[in-house]
Amino acid sequence: MRPILRWVHATFGLFAAVYLLMAAATGTLLLFKPEILALAHSELGPVPADTVTQAQRLASNLEPGSFTSIRFPDETLRAFTVYLPDHRTTLYDPNSLAPLEDSLGLVRAMDWLFELHHYLLAGETGKIVSGAFGVAIAGLVLIGLYLWWPWRRGWRFANARANRPTRASHLAAHTTIGIMMAPALFLAAFSGAAVVFHKQTTAVLTGAFGAKDPAIDVPAKPGTLATLVEARFPRAVPRLYIPAAEPDGTVTLRLRQPEERHPNGRSTLSWDPASATATAATSEPEAGAGPRLYNLLYPLHIGTLGGLPLRLFLFVSAILALFGAFHALGSWFRKRRR
């Protein structure tokens, strides 16, 4: 099996290395997207207390159908983020509700990086290809660890630098760096692929660990969206405002309860503007082990699950991945010349 696995690792790894160069380069910047955008808008003041009402006002100022959702401000980026149908975003001041000027082009740049990282600039087809690369890279990491294991005692940190322009030197550097970045690379590749193939991943996890109905009771009395959210989810933080799909439809608010780890929250409350009543609500902590495990994968991929230490770990590993992919390509080109 070892010769076959070595051929698989070398052959498919060549294509994966090209993708990995792109994914690592874009991923390192996207890890710190909120901080980068916040630096460009240091003029923003404190976030208003009633962000739910402000989000409703902002939604009423926008053309129906011109946006898909509104992300609430947080401690890092004190601005509303409006998501547009073509995967672009616009930032708005949470107090004045005026659009923020993107004079440096950072919002456009981050949108483009996300489009490249997640969709390969090819829409839904590109997303599927990106997910397939994630599965392949996760598998290549496991194969690489299997091939390296018998020679693990010969591993030396000094080999991470290719001191000579030879295939053996590039191969040693690739192997050394590959072992260093293997945990983070597997984590990022597996979680990214799981997010892309969310239906399949959810089915596997719910089948293995079970799921429960997350629906919960809603307040019976009419009220504003803000008051009903406070009544049903007193400790939750609003994260996403999703407008009604039709003129007479319901508005949905995604919320993050203290027990949740997903940065955008997975608990929801739906509200009918016409009758001012809550029509449905779900609580993520009630969803069961399977869905809750799946909800950990996205924050794991973007590094928010473990806070700044995990993001720094992923950042350093992404830099190492760049060098690892470079040495893999260097080894292949040296072999071709021979």
Side-chain angles (χ1 to χ4, degrees), residues 258-298:
E259 304 91 333
E260 299 184 49
R261 295 295 175 263
H262 197 290
N264 294 329
R266 283 295 184 179
S267 298
T268 64
L269 186 139
S270 297
W271 179 73
D272 180 16
S275 61
T277 57
T279 58
T282 62
S283 178
E284 193 267 356
E286 305 295 327
R292 297 207 73 192
L293 284 173
Y294 174 78
N295 290 337
L296 295 177
L297 294 173
Y298 176 70

Coordinates of all heavy atoms in Angstrom, one line a residue, residues 258-298:
P258 N -25.8 32.5 25.3 CA -24.5 32.3 26.0 C -23.9 30.9 25.8 O -22.7 30.7 25.7 CB -24.7 32.6 27.5 CG -25.9 33.5 27.5 CD -26.7 33.1 26.3
E259 N -24.8 29.9 25.6 CA -24.3 28.5 25.4 C -23.9 28.2 24.0 O -23.3 27.2 23.7 CB -25.5 27.5 25.7 CG -26.1 27.7 27.1 CD -27.2 28.6 27.1 OE1 -27.3 29.5 26.3 OE2 -28.1 28.5 28.0
E260 N -24.1 29.1 23.1 CA -23.8 28.9 21.7 C -22.3 29.4 21.4 O -21.8 30.3 22.0 CB -24.7 29.6 20.8 CG -26.2 29.2 20.9 CD -27.1 29.8 20.0 OE1 -26.8 29.9 18.8 OE2 -28.2 30.3 20.4
R261 N -21.7 28.7 20.4 CA -20.4 29.0 20.0 C -20.3 29.6 18.5 O -19.3 30.1 18.1 CB -19.5 27.8 20.1 CG -19.3 27.3 21.5 CD -18.5 28.4 22.3 NE -18.4 28.0 23.7 CZ -19.2 28.5 24.7 NH1 -20.2 29.3 24.4 NH2 -19.1 28.1 25.9
H262 N -21.4 29.4 17.8 CA -21.4 30.0 16.4 C -21.5 31.5 16.5 O -22.3 32.1 17.2 CB -22.7 29.5 15.7 CG -22.6 29.6 14.2 ND1 -22.7 30.8 13.6 CD2 -22.5 28.7 13.2 CE1 -22.6 30.7 12.3 NE2 -22.5 29.4 12.0
P263 N -20.5 32.2 15.8 CA -20.5 33.7 15.9 C -21.8 34.4 15.5 O -22.0 35.5 15.9 CB -19.3 34.0 15.0 CG -19.1 32.9 14.1 CD -19.5 31.7 14.8
N264 N -22.5 33.8 14.5 CA -23.7 34.4 14.1 C -25.0 33.9 14.8 O -26.1 34.3 14.5 CB -23.9 34.2 12.6 CG -22.9 34.9 11.8 OD1 -22.4 36.0 12.2 ND2 -22.4 34.4 10.7
G265 N -24.8 32.9 15.7 CA -25.9 32.4 16.5 C -26.8 31.5 15.6 O -26.8 31.6 14.4
R266 N -27.4 30.5 16.2 CA -28.3 29.6 15.5 C -29.7 29.5 16.1 O -30.5 28.8 15.6 CB -27.7 28.2 15.5 CG -26.5 28.0 14.6 CD -27.0 28.1 13.1 NE -25.9 27.9 12.2 CZ -26.1 27.9 10.9 NH1 -27.3 28.2 10.4 NH2 -25.1 27.7 10.0
S267 N -29.9 30.3 17.2 CA -31.3 30.4 17.7 C -32.0 31.5 16.9 O -31.4 32.4 16.4 CB -31.3 30.8 19.2 OG -30.6 29.9 20.0
T268 N -33.3 31.3 16.7 CA -34.1 32.2 15.8 C -35.4 32.6 16.5 O -36.0 31.9 17.3 CB -34.4 31.6 14.5 OG1 -35.2 30.4 14.7 CG2 -33.1 31.1 13.8
L269 N -35.9 33.8 16.0 CA -37.2 34.2 16.4 C -37.8 34.9 15.1 O -37.2 35.8 14.5 CB -37.2 35.2 17.5 CG -38.7 35.6 18.0 CD1 -38.7 35.6 19.5 CD2 -39.1 36.9 17.5
S270 N -39.0 34.4 14.7 CA -39.7 35.0 13.5 C -40.8 35.9 14.0 O -41.5 35.5 15.0 CB -40.2 33.8 12.6 OG -39.1 33.1 12.1
W271 N -41.0 37.0 13.3 CA -41.9 38.0 13.7 C -42.7 38.5 12.5 O -42.2 38.8 11.5 CB -41.1 39.1 14.4 CG -41.9 40.3 14.9 CD1 -42.7 40.3 16.0 CD2 -42.0 41.6 14.3 NE1 -43.3 41.6 16.1 CE2 -42.8 42.4 15.1 CE3 -41.4 42.2 13.2 CZ2 -43.1 43.7 14.9 CZ3 -41.6 43.6 12.9 CH2 -42.5 44.3 13.8
D272 N -44.0 38.6 12.7 CA -44.9 39.1 11.7 C -45.2 40.6 11.9 O -45.8 41.0 12.9 CB -46.3 38.3 11.7 CG -47.2 38.8 10.7 OD1 -46.8 39.5 9.7 OD2 -48.4 38.5 10.8
P273 N -44.7 41.4 11.0 CA -44.9 42.9 11.2 C -46.3 43.3 11.2 O -46.7 44.3 11.8 CB -44.1 43.5 10.0 CG -43.1 42.4 9.6 CD -43.8 41.1 9.8
A274 N -47.2 42.6 10.4 CA -48.6 43.0 10.2 C -49.3 42.9 11.6 O -50.1 43.8 11.9 CB -49.2 42.2 9.1
S275 N -49.1 41.8 12.2 CA -49.8 41.5 13.5 C -49.0 41.8 14.7 O -49.5 41.8 15.9 CB -50.3 40.1 13.5 OG -49.2 39.2 13.5
A276 N -47.7 42.1 14.5 CA -46.8 42.4 15.6 C -46.7 41.2 16.6 O -46.6 41.4 17.8 CB -47.1 43.7 16.3
T277 N -46.7 40.0 16.1 CA -46.7 38.8 16.9 C -45.5 37.9 16.5 O -45.1 37.9 15.3 CB -48.0 38.0 16.8 OG1 -48.2 37.6 15.4 CG2 -49.1 38.8 17.4
A278 N -45.0 37.2 17.4 CA -44.0 36.2 17.1 C -44.6 35.0 16.6 O -45.6 34.5 17.2 CB -43.2 35.9 18.4
T279 N -44.1 34.4 15.5 CA -44.8 33.3 14.9 C -44.0 32.0 15.1 O -44.6 30.9 15.0 CB -44.9 33.5 13.3 OG1 -43.5 33.7 12.8 CG2 -45.7 34.7 13.0
A280 N -42.7 32.0 15.4 CA -42.0 30.8 15.6 C -40.6 31.2 16.3 O -40.2 32.3 16.2 CB -41.7 30.1 14.3
A281 N -40.1 30.2 17.0 CA -38.8 30.4 17.6 C -38.1 29.1 17.8 O -38.7 28.0 18.0 CB -38.9 31.1 19.0
T282 N -36.7 29.1 17.7 CA -35.9 27.9 17.9 C -34.8 28.2 18.8 O -34.3 29.4 18.8 CB -35.4 27.3 16.5 OG1 -34.5 28.3 15.9 CG2 -36.5 27.0 15.6
S283 N -34.4 27.3 19.6 CA -33.3 27.4 20.5 C -32.2 26.4 20.2 O -32.4 25.2 20.2 CB -33.7 27.2 21.9 OG -32.7 27.3 22.9
E284 N -31.0 26.9 19.8 CA -29.9 26.0 19.4 C -29.5 25.0 20.5 O -29.2 23.9 20.2 CB -28.7 26.9 19.0 CG -27.6 26.1 18.2 CD -26.5 25.6 19.1 OE1 -26.6 25.9 20.3 OE2 -25.6 24.9 18.6
P285 N -29.4 25.4 21.7 CA -29.1 24.5 22.8 C -30.0 23.3 22.9 O -29.7 22.3 23.5 CB -29.1 25.3 24.1 CG -28.8 26.7 23.6 CD -29.5 26.8 22.3
E286 N -31.3 23.4 22.3 CA -32.3 22.4 22.4 C -32.2 21.4 21.2 O -33.0 20.5 21.1 CB -33.7 23.0 22.5 CG -33.9 23.9 23.7 CD -33.7 23.2 25.0 OE1 -34.1 22.1 25.1 OE2 -33.3 23.9 25.9
A287 N -31.3 21.7 20.2 CA -31.3 21.0 19.0 C -30.7 19.6 19.0 O -30.8 18.8 18.1 CB -30.5 21.8 17.9
G288 N -30.0 19.3 20.1 CA -29.4 17.9 20.2 C -27.9 17.9 19.8 O -27.4 18.9 19.3
A289 N -27.3 16.8 20.1 CA -25.8 16.8 19.9 C -25.4 16.9 18.5 O -24.4 17.6 18.2 CB -25.3 15.5 20.5
G290 N -26.1 16.2 17.6 CA -25.7 16.3 16.2 C -25.6 17.7 15.6 O -24.5 18.1 15.1
P291 N -26.7 18.4 15.6 CA -26.7 19.8 15.1 C -25.7 20.7 15.8 O -25.1 21.6 15.3 CB -28.1 20.3 15.2 CG -28.9 19.0 15.2 CD -28.1 18.0 15.9
R292 N -25.6 20.5 17.1 CA -24.7 21.4 17.9 C -23.2 21.1 17.6 O -22.4 22.0 17.5 CB -24.9 21.1 19.4 CG -26.3 21.5 19.9 CD -26.3 21.9 21.4 NE -25.7 23.2 21.5 CZ -25.3 23.7 22.7 NH1 -25.5 22.9 23.8 NH2 -24.8 24.9 22.8
L293 N -22.9 19.8 17.3 CA -21.5 19.5 16.8 C -21.3 20.2 15.5 O -20.2 20.7 15.2 CB -21.3 18.0 16.7 CG -21.1 17.3 18.1 CD1 -21.1 15.8 17.8 CD2 -19.8 17.7 18.7
Y294 N -22.3 20.1 14.6 CA -22.1 20.8 13.3 C -21.9 22.3 13.4 O -21.1 22.9 12.7 CB -23.3 20.5 12.4 CG -23.2 21.3 11.1 CD1 -22.4 20.8 10.1 CD2 -23.9 22.5 10.9 CE1 -22.2 21.6 8.9 CE2 -23.7 23.2 9.7 CZ -22.9 22.7 8.7 OH -22.8 23.5 7.6
N295 N -22.6 22.9 14.4 CA -22.5 24.3 14.6 C -21.1 24.7 15.1 O -20.8 25.9 15.2 CB -23.6 24.8 15.5 CG -25.0 24.7 14.8 OD1 -25.1 24.7 13.6 ND2 -26.0 24.7 15.6
L296 N -20.3 23.8 15.5 CA -18.9 24.1 16.0 C -17.9 24.2 14.8 O -16.9 24.8 15.0 CB -18.4 23.0 17.0 CG -19.2 22.9 18.3 CD1 -18.6 21.8 19.1 CD2 -19.1 24.2 19.1
L297 N -18.3 23.7 13.7 CA -17.4 23.5 12.6 C -17.0 24.9 11.9 O -15.9 25.2 11.6 CB -17.9 22.6 11.5 CG -18.0 21.1 12.0 CD1 -18.7 20.3 10.9 CD2 -16.6 20.6 12.3
Y298 N -18.0 25.7 11.7 CA -17.8 27.1 11.1 C -16.9 27.9 12.0 O -15.9 28.5 11.6 CB -19.1 27.8 10.8 CG -18.9 29.2 10.3 CD1 -18.4 29.4 9.0 CD2 -19.3 30.3 11.0 CE1 -18.2 30.7 8.5 CE2 -19.1 31.5 10.6 CZ -18.5 31.7 9.3 OH -18.4 33.0 8.8

